[in-house]
Structure formats: C-alpha cells, structure tokens
Amino acid sequence: MDYYSQVILNSIITGGIYGLIAVGYSMIYSILRFVNFSHGFVAMMGMYFTYALSVQLQLPFFIAAAGGIVLTAFLGMIIERVAYRPLRFSFYLAPLVAVVGVAFFLESVALMVWGGGILSYDVKTTSFNISGLYITNVQIGILITLLLSVILLYYLIEKTTIGQAIRATADDIKMASLVGINSNRIVVIVFMLGSALAAVGGTFLGLETNLQPTIGLSVTAKSFAAVILGGFGNIYGGLVGGLVLGFAENLGVTVLPTVWKDFIAFGVLFIVIYFKPSGLLAKRQERGGRYR
Amino acid sequence: MFYHLTILMIIYSITCIGLNIVVGYTGFFSFARAAFFGIGAYTSALLVMSGVPFLIAIIAGGILAAIFGWILGLITVEMTGDYFALATFAFAEMTRQVFINWTGLTRGPLGLPGIPRPEIFGFRFSTNQAYLFLYIILLILVLLITEMYVKSPFGRLLKTIREDETAAQSLGKDIAKTKNIAIAMGAFFGGVGGALYAHYITYIDPSAFVLHITIFFLIIVIAGGMGNNYGTILGAVMLVLVRELPRYLGLSPAFAASLQQMVYSSILVILMLVRPRGLLGERKLLSEQSSEEGGK
Amino acid sequence: MLEANGIEKNFGGLKAVDNVSIKVKEGTIMGLIGPNGAGKTTFFNLITGFLSTDSGEIKFKGKDITNLEPHLISRLGMVRTFQQTRIFPEMTVLENLIVAPQDNVGEGFFDPIFYRKALKDDQKEKISVAVAILKDMGLYDQKDEYAKNLPYGEQKRLELMRAVMTSPDILLLDEPTAGVSQDYTDNMKSYIKKLKNERGITFFIIEHKMSFLMDLAEYLYVIDHGKLIASGTPKEIQNNTKVINAYLGTEG
C-alpha cells in the first residue's frame, strides 16, 4: 500500500510537470490548429536559461527560475515572429517544417553553449518521511508551484479580458477578428504564455531528473500525446492528459522491465492515436481548409 | 572525400526518392523513414553476414521494410495529417527501441561491425570507385522505376489523394488501397537505401536510426522540391554538402556536429521563408501534345 | 433508379434527417430544395456513403447500397459534386479530367509494368474524350492551367465536367450555382439540359435558390428541419403554403 501511494505521489509530480508543458502546447494548438514541434525544445531552453542564471551567474534559484521563464517567453515571441507569422498563409507544410528547423536549431545552440553532458541545478535536497511517504523539499516546492500555476492560469483564462479574447479566438479565429479582437496580438500572447509554461515545466524536469540538451524531442512527443489524451479544443485538455501520462509511465515501470520503458511509452502513444483519430469528417474540413 | 560524399548523396537520394512518393506525391508527412532505413540496413547486413548474396539481401531488406510499411499503412489509413505524422513517429521510435533491446539479433547498442562489402557474381566492390559505379547504376534504376510510376495514371491517382481525398473517393477511387501501396513503395526504397548504407559504412548501431536522420531526409525532400524526383536528388547533394563539410574543417567532432545541425536547421527555416515549396517545383507532366507524341 | 426509404440521421440528439423517403426516376431531372440548414447536404452525404445512416434503406438500380463505402457507390454509377467545390487545385484542368474515368488503365500497382501498351492507348483515348468535353463545354483554352487558378464559377464547371468523365448513370449536384454569377447560372442550366439529352444522365440536384430548379426540374422534394414537407411538380410546389411558410420562416 505504501509502495503504491509513493508511486501515486511520483505520478502526480511527473504528470503535473508534463501537464503544465502540455497546456502551453494545447493553447497554441487549439487556437491555430498548428503542431508546434519546437515546444519541447523551448521547454529544454527554459531549463537551461534557469541553469545559466542560477549556476553560472550564481543568482538565487527562485530569481533565476523567474528570469528563465521571462527569457523563454521572449524566445516564444521570437519564434512566432520569425518562423510562424510570415508563413501563416503560405504553403500548408511550411510553418510545420520551419518550426522543426527552429527546434533543431535550439538543440544545436544548447549543445554548443552547454555541451552534450548531463548537468544539474545546484539545489540542496532534504528528504522528509511523512507517515511512510518519502518526499523532498524540492518536490514539495514543485507541487506548490504547480498548483499556483494552474490557479493563476485558470484565473488568467477565465476571468480577465485577455483570457476572454484567447477563448474567443480558440473558438473561432475568424469570428474573433470580426468582432474586433486583434488575432495577431493574441497569437503572440499565446506563444509567450505557452513558452513560459514550458519553461516552468522544463525547470521542474531539470529539478526532478537532470539537464540534457537532447530531451526536447521526447518532451514534444509527450506533450502531443498528453494533448491528444486530454482532447483537443480544450485549453486544459493537456493538463489532464499530462497527469494520465505521468501515471501510465510510473505505473508501467512497476510492472515491466525498465529497458522497454520507452518502447511502452511510444506504444501507448501509438495506441492512443489509433483509438482517438479525429474522424473522417474533421479530416475533410481540415484538408479543404489548408488550401483555401 | 569526393567519392565518399558522392556515395552518400546517392544513398540518400535513393532513400528520399522513396520518401518523396509518400510526402511529395501522396501528401502525407511521414516520420517513419529512419525505421524503414534501419529495417533495411539490419536485414541486409544480417543476411549477407549469414551467407546470402548481396543483391538478394538488399532486395529482402527493401521487401521487409515494405511489409512493415504496408502494416503501418493499414493501421494509419484513417488518420489525418498531424495524427499520421505522430503515429509514424511513434512507430519509428518503437522500431528503434527494438533495435536497442533485441540484443540477441542486433547486438543492441554495441552495433553490428564488419558488414561485408557488396559482392556480385564473385566480383567484390572494395574500392570507393567501384562502389560509386555500382551505386550510380542502382540510383538510375530506382529513378527510372519511380519516374515510370509517377508519370503513370497511378502517380496521378496519388496526387488526387494529396489534393483532396474526398473528391477522389467521390470519383470511385479506392483511396485506402492506393495510399497503402504508396507507403509500402516508399518504405521499400527506404529499406534498399538503408541496406546500401550498411554495406558502405560496414558498421551500424541503433543511434544511426534516430529521428534526426528522418528529419534530415524530410529536409532533403522538402528543400529539393516536393513531387519532383530530380529536386530530391538536388536536395540530397545540397544537404550532404552542408552536413558533411564542417567535418573537414578541423573542428572538434562534438562542435562540428552541433555546428552542422545549426547550419542545416537555419537553412531549413530560411528556405521555408523564401521558397516554401522547395528549390524545384512540381512539373506539369501532362499536356495534350506531349502525350500524343509519347503514345506514337 | 434511386430509392431511399425512411432515412434517419442524428447528430448528438439533433435529428438532421428525419424519416425521409425519395424516389428518382431514370432519365429525369429531380430537385431537392429547402431553406439553409434543412439537412439537404446531410441527406446527400447519406445517399452517397460519405456518412452512415442511423436507419433506413437506400437502393440504387435495385441494389441495396445502404452504408456502402463511397468509392464503391460511385463505381456503381452514382457520382456527386460538392457544395464547396472540390477540384484538385494543384493539378491542371486536363489532369483533373483525365484522372476521373473509372475504367482508367494503369491505376493498379502492377499496371505500369505489365500493361505498358494498353496504358498508353488508353491514356490517348481518355485525353481525346477529355479534350472533346473541354471543347464542348468551354475551358479548352485553359486546359494546361492549374485548376486553382480558375475563377470560382469555372471551378464549379470543371467539377461537373470531371464528374461527367466518370460516365455516370446519375449525377447528384450539391448547389451547382452557389456563389456564382447569373451568367454562370444560366450556362449551368443549359449544360445540365444538354447532358441529360445527349448522354441520358439522370440528375438529382440540391438547390437553395428555388428559381433555378423551377424550369429545370420535373419533380421536386422539399425538406425543412430534416423532414420531408412536400413533393410535386414545380408548379405545385410554388403554390404549396407549407413550402412558402418554410422559406418565409427562415428568411423573413
């Protein structure tokens, strides 16, 4: 029993991190129907920005993390400006290919600046034993910040005018521009917000495990899986999907040999896509829409 | 160096001509290329190492890849663009995990060293010149076969899938079957390309079949111009130069590796901004006169 | 020729098509009219297999075709066009037509290898058929133009020609004049008459504009809110109070 409550706790932490990254991703997807391949790589950059500020510049960790998040938000803005906006009405594959380029560009930058080796944050961890459950101070911090981020996001999306505009744009981007919402501005905000969330998640990932420049790809894949699991068209879908994914991963390791862990993760992804394809009707509209 | 680069260009051209059938003509963004490349490489290498003749082995590698392509096609038949891309990506990663973990067959991360060089009817292609000669012939063969298909009514049918599946169905076309054939054909050339790669490099391990190589192949097709086989060859020439030349600049291997990745990812972004449809566009293959002349 | 009995379709509790039955006689032009959102296109999607029915039976040439796959229905000789025109944009006008015939040689995997001669002869023949249609119905001068570069009205005409290339027994047209000018509308009317007289094609046409079908169709069905509310000759329909109310109710 204790063993499983420990697994559940770990699942909530990993799942929450995935969920937070995935929310940023599903926001961009629900507004633009655009697969932002670079999202996981942006999270990776957020992770390293925090590292640069906290370890290399010796700033206190919380200030460094906040700085990392702000820097990543601006990175999101730059990506939107350079690789997405000019291609929005171009050949339908062009934006996707361009963000693939951006993703690998970011990875090569990280490899050049921070090297291919494994790094870690300089944070002291102490472990507590709460009635048989092991939890570290870092994990408690993560849980609290996760909760705060979700509440903040909820407030931003549901209660503010900007959130209202984002929701309207997600419902129907054309309609939103007709009623006077500046859709370009919303797209930039969403890119920045999504990237900031990715940076929070990336920093947490760095705290929970370690820092590697090559994790971008698997983070992208996992956020996409989370968004599919949670359901498209809903900004919070990614959060739910991320939690499900966290549970699947942690529970999977308890039953199956560890070497096949990645195989299982991608197998689950494959099965999910198979049983939740968007359906024939959606395809027709989508393909028609690309050309016109 | 000249021979080495040219041989790589040819191997990648063959692989990407197959990919072009799926991406350029049929209009599906497939991320499974590394898997087919790897299946072909491992199959052919293992067969030749257990005594099977080279030509039979590379064809077997292609066929096994095609069978996997066919199965993948059956599963993904109803998926839309984004889902198809992700499903093929998941498939590729699963395949790579099998390469890593099925150590009894593939020796896992240790890789397969000492893969024999090609031998046809007792003649061993051991020098790079002989290699180049053999691979050029194979490239011409692949190009002829593909061009024949692309120009035929079959190729036109592929394009209707890319353009508008629903409309093609309304005309009575069996879209599911045709799409499946296209994926299997693409996988076949991917497998053959992988086999040729294995017999040239003579060493393979799972790290040669990661997503980065798939992306590299996709960039070749897109940069050269989708739906144009000559564009694909041009793309292969260009991208091999971009990717391999930094290695000859005397930089440290790790730095050179990230530098080349940086260069070609920037080229990709710039290319999309300047020429979103690639360097060479699609050709108009049919006109009233040319077809009448062709028919005579 | 075409018979549908008690067709029903629900979209999440909403009855899009509710117990509709129709009969299309061979060699006629029949119409299906109704206000916007009445379920006309849904009904077409059901007959042609692009949507599956919840209940009801569809018969074509005496054969049960309920819920058959769309390409198989098309192969039986029932071909449709779409309200939002679906041409192949990145293919030339001629290619759009050549690809359509259902007896094309060379569309199978082994054909380009084993039937090289037959393939070439067949292509030549199909090109001449296509050229004849292009000369007959216009667009010959634009034959090597990409279809996406044509004006919208001509794209609609191309879609119709492409459907004709399949040598259908019956053509189902979904709003052939939606969004085009009066000139095109008049042209379209004469094409349809011509196709019916010269090729013996039966027509079943959806229209929102009643006037288009008034002197074209021999018999009309009217649906509103998914239900069949009237049927009869155009004259009868014109004076039917139910129909007038349905149109006034949604547009007034």
Side-chain angles (χ1 to χ4, degrees):
Chain A
M1 188 56 217
D2 275 352
Y3 174 67
Y4 279 101
S5 25
Q6 187 72 49
V7 170
I8 288 169
L9 177 69
N10 291 345
S11 304
I12 291 174
I13 293 170
T14 10
I17 297 174
Y18 289 158
L20 207 57
I21 301 178
V23 166
Y25 187 90
S26 67
M27 271 201 287
I28 296 174
Y29 191 91
S30 58
I31 289 187
L32 303 166
R33 298 284 174 268
F34 166 60
V35 176
N36 182 8
F37 187 89
S38 67
H39 193 69
F41 297 78
V42 170
M44 180 271 296
M45 287 305 277
M47 177 190 250
Y48 275 98
F49 283 148
T50 306
Y51 175 83
L53 295 175
S54 77
V55 180
Q56 291 171 313
L57 293 182
Q58 297 287 320
L59 293 175
F61 187 78
F62 284 104
I63 295 173
I69 292 163
V70 172
L71 284 177
T72 316
F74 279 103
L75 179 66
M77 188 184 86
I78 295 168
I79 292 173
E80 198 270 345
R81 196 49 69 80
V82 172
Y84 183 73
R85 188 180 302 182
L87 295 171
R88 200 159 138 198
F89 301 105
S90 173
F91 185 48
Y92 74 101
L93 279 178
L96 178 62
V97 178
V99 286
V100 169
V102 168
F104 284 98
F105 184 80
L106 294 179
E107 189 178 283
S108 67
V109 169
L111 278 167
M112 262 186 202
V113 179
W114 293 287
I118 292 174
L119 301 172
S120 58
Y121 294 130
D122 197 11
V123 177
K124 274 215 181 77
T125 48
T126 34
S127 205
F128 303 101
N129 186 341
I130 305 168
S131 60
L133 270 182
Y134 285 95
I135 188 162
T136 64
N137 58 341
V138 171
Q139 286 177 320
I140 294 173
I142 290 177
L143 279 176
I144 293 170
T145 325
L146 272 178
L147 209 63
L148 283 178
S149 311
V150 172
I151 293 170
L152 200 67
L153 181 72
Y154 181 83
Y155 177 79
L156 190 73
I157 299 284
E158 303 294 332
K159 307 285 177 202
T160 63
T161 18
I162 287 179
Q164 202 180 9
I166 291 175
R167 276 182 292 137
T169 318
D171 276 349
D172 190 335
I173 192 162
K174 269 189 199 142
M175 209 46 193
S177 358
L178 281 183
V179 297
I181 293 170
N182 181 346
S183 66
N184 266 343
R185 204 174 121 239
I186 294 299
V187 171
V188 176
I189 289 171
V190 165
F191 260 87
M192 290 181 75
L193 196 58
S195 304
L197 289 170
V200 178
T203 303
F204 286 169
L205 268 187
L207 281 171
E208 265 292 276
T209 54
N210 44 46
L211 288 84
Q212 252 184 302
T214 46
I215 60 148
L217 183 62
S218 80
V219 176
T220 289
K222 278 172 185 163
S223 352
F224 200 104
V227 173
I228 292 175
L229 272 167
F232 283 126
N234 184 342
I235 289 173
Y236 307 106
L239 197 63
V240 180
L243 278 172
V244 175
L245 206 64
F247 272 89
E249 217 177 79
N250 281 287
L251 288 174
V253 177
T254 65
V255 216
L256 297 148
T258 340
V259 283
W260 291 97
K261 185 182 149 194
D262 276 359
F263 181 85
I264 294 157
F266 288 111
V268 168
L269 174 57
F270 195 89
I271 291 165
V272 168
I273 307 164
Y274 182 69
F275 285 104
K276 273 195 83 180
S278 54
L280 277 167
L281 261 182
K283 168 157 64 180
R284 273 171 211 144
Q285 287 158 356
E286 195 179 296
R287 297 211 99 199
R290 276 174 179 166
Y291 287 105
R292 284 171 193 119
Chain B
M1 177 177 151
F2 168 76
Y3 287 107
H4 174 67
L5 293 185
T6 317
I7 289 167
L8 282 182
M9 286 166 192
I10 291 171
I11 292 171
Y12 294 152
S13 295
I14 290 174
T15 311
C16 293
I17 284 173
L19 182 60
N20 194 19
I21 296 175
V22 181
V23 175
Y25 288 99
T26 322
F28 277 84
F29 217 57
S30 165
F31 279 98
R33 187 79 342 201
F36 300 134
F37 196 67
I39 290 170
Y42 271 106
T43 309
S44 182
L46 289 167
L47 284 177
V48 172
M49 285 162 94
S50 56
V52 176
F54 169 75
L55 280 181
I56 294 176
I58 58 169
I59 289 170
I63 288 175
L64 193 66
I67 290 170
F68 274 98
W70 182 267
I71 296 169
L72 184 65
L74 284 181
I75 298 172
T76 57
V77 66
E78 287 201 349
M79 290 182 189
T80 64
D82 301 344
Y83 284 83
F84 181 83
L86 197 72
T88 51
F89 163 66
F91 167 77
E93 282 302 306
M94 284 161 80
T95 314
R96 194 170 67 88
Q97 294 299 325
V98 172
F99 293 153
I100 295 174
N101 291 312
W102 193 356
T103 44
L105 187 73
T106 63
R107 285 172 34 98
L110 295 174
L112 285 178
I115 300 166
R117 300 221 145 189
E119 190 180 307
I120 298 174
F121 305 124
F123 179 77
R124 187 169 279 276
F125 292 83
S126 48
T127 64
N128 273 354
Q129 285 89 327
Y131 249 95
L132 185 60
F133 179 71
L134 174 67
Y135 282 20
I136 283 181
I137 289 176
L138 289 174
L139 174 63
I140 292 171
L141 208 63
V142 168
L143 192 60
L144 284 178
I145 293 171
T146 325
E147 280 287 297
M148 180 177 84
Y149 268 102
V150 167
K151 285 180 183 163
S152 77
F154 177 79
R156 214 171 294 137
L157 198 55
L158 292 185
K159 281 203 231 167
T160 65
I161 298 178
R162 177 190 70 191
E163 299 290 295
D164 196 325
E165 270 183 66
T166 308
Q169 268 179 321
S170 82
L171 299 172
K173 309 296 178 189
D174 190 345
I175 294 311
K177 194 180 104 197
T178 312
K179 205 157 90 181
N180 236 330
I181 293 174
I183 295 171
M185 265 178 93
F188 177 81
F189 292 123
V192 170
L196 296 179
Y197 174 81
H199 291 287
Y200 172 64
I201 303 288
T202 69
Y203 168 80
I204 49 173
D205 71 55
S207 74
F209 310 111
V210 289
L211 184 82
H212 292 72
I213 195 82
T214 296
I215 302 283
F216 180 67
F217 291 148
L218 280 170
I219 296 170
I220 289 179
V221 170
I222 294 163
M226 289 191 287
N228 186 332
N229 289 326
Y230 300 102
T232 301
I233 295 175
L234 178 67
V237 170
M238 212 172 65
L239 266 295
V240 166
L241 288 179
V242 170
R243 206 170 91 127
E244 301 294 323
L245 281 183
R247 290 196 186 163
Y248 296 95
L249 295 177
L251 304 165
S252 78
F255 188 78
S258 22
L259 181 67
Q260 51 151 291
Q261 187 174 330
M262 186 177 270
V263 171
Y264 82 77
S265 53
S266 330
I267 289 183
L268 192 62
V269 176
I270 294 165
L271 195 69
M272 282 304 110
L273 293 169
V274 184
R275 277 189 79 94
R277 279 158 199 271
L279 290 174
L280 300 182
E282 192 170 301
R283 292 160 295 159
K284 288 181 186 175
L285 290 174
L286 181 88
S287 73
E288 192 186 344
Q289 283 73 30
S290 75
S291 304
E292 277 174 359
E293 279 159 23
K296 271 171 200 165
Chain C
M1 179 174 226
L2 173 68
E3 218 182 309
N5 286 316
I7 305 297
E8 281 188 23
K9 180 72 185 176
N10 296 302
F11 288 123
L14 184 85
K15 279 209 161 137
V17 174
D18 187 2
N19 194 17
V20 174
S21 304
I22 56 111
K23 233 180 215 176
V24 180
K25 268 185 261 156
E26 189 163 356
T28 57
I29 298 177
M30 292 211 169
L32 178 65
I33 61 171
N36 274 333
K40 302 182 299 275
T41 298
T42 309
F43 185 64
F44 253 32
N45 284 337
L46 292 168
I47 310 181
T48 49
F50 282 91
L51 282 175
S52 59
T53 56
D54 290 339
S55 71
E57 186 198 41
I58 305 155
K59 273 184 166 173
F60 179 54
K61 294 199 267 190
K63 209 182 151 205
D64 184 9
I65 58 161
T66 320
N67 295 344
L68 210 60
E69 279 189 64
H71 73 270
L72 296 175
I73 293 178
S74 166
R75 291 206 158 244
L76 289 172
M78 175 155 71
V79 178
R80 68 171 294 183
T81 63
F82 297 87
Q83 188 178 359
Q84 287 284 321
T85 310
R86 289 182 171 275
I87 46 153
F88 302 128
E90 303 264 327
M91 292 165 79
T92 65
V93 168
L94 193 57
E95 277 183 305
N96 262 275
L97 296 185
I98 297 296
V99 83
Q102 301 183 335
D103 60 344
N104 266 350
V105 178
E107 288 185 355
F109 176 61
F110 294 107
D111 296 0
I113 306 170
F114 295 123
Y115 302 107
R116 299 200 62 141
K117 175 82 173 63
L119 189 156
K120 273 185 182 165
D121 293 347
D122 183 65
Q123 282 293 292
K124 231 170 102 179
E125 189 197 317
K126 295 289 156 59
I127 289 174
S128 60
V129 173
V131 166
I133 290 186
L134 283 169
K135 282 183 175 155
D136 194 27
M137 296 176 61
L139 289 184
Y140 179 74
D141 294 334
Q142 288 103 308
K143 67 180 164 45
D144 292 323
E145 190 63 63
Y146 281 122
K148 64 172 179 186
N149 296 336
L150 297 180
Y152 188 67
E154 298 196 335
Q155 292 187 3
K156 290 218 102 143
R157 210 193 307 176
L158 177 64
E159 194 190 25
L160 176 62
M161 284 190 238
R162 190 183 64 188
V164 171
M165 282 293 288
T166 62
S167 340
D169 298 320
I170 179 167
L171 270 177
L172 274 62
L173 309 182
D174 193 348
E175 301 210 14
T177 67
V180 303
S181 68
Q182 191 56 44
D183 275 0
Y184 276 121
T185 309
D186 293 342
N187 268 334
M188 193 60 90
K189 217 183 268 185
S190 58
Y191 291 141
I192 292 170
K193 278 185 188 154
K194 204 170 159 185
L195 287 169
K196 185 203 148 200
N197 294 334
E198 290 177 6
R199 292 168 187 261
I201 299 173
T202 308
F203 281 90
F204 188 35
I205 304 170
I206 290 184
E207 256 304 336
H208 172 64
K209 293 181 235 165
M210 261 210 277
S211 59
F212 179 72
L213 286 171
M214 279 309 150
D215 51 328
L216 188 65
E218 291 148 46
Y219 198 84
L220 291 175
Y221 289 98
V222 189
I223 60 174
D224 184 31
H225 292 103
K227 284 198 178 80
L228 200 62
I229 56 165
S231 66
T233 61
K235 267 234 164 65
E236 289 165 12
I237 294 296
Q238 235 163 352
N239 301 318
N240 186 315
T241 44
K242 265 192 189 169
V243 179
I244 294 166
N245 285 339
Y247 268 82
L248 287 179
T250 55
E251 289 182 353

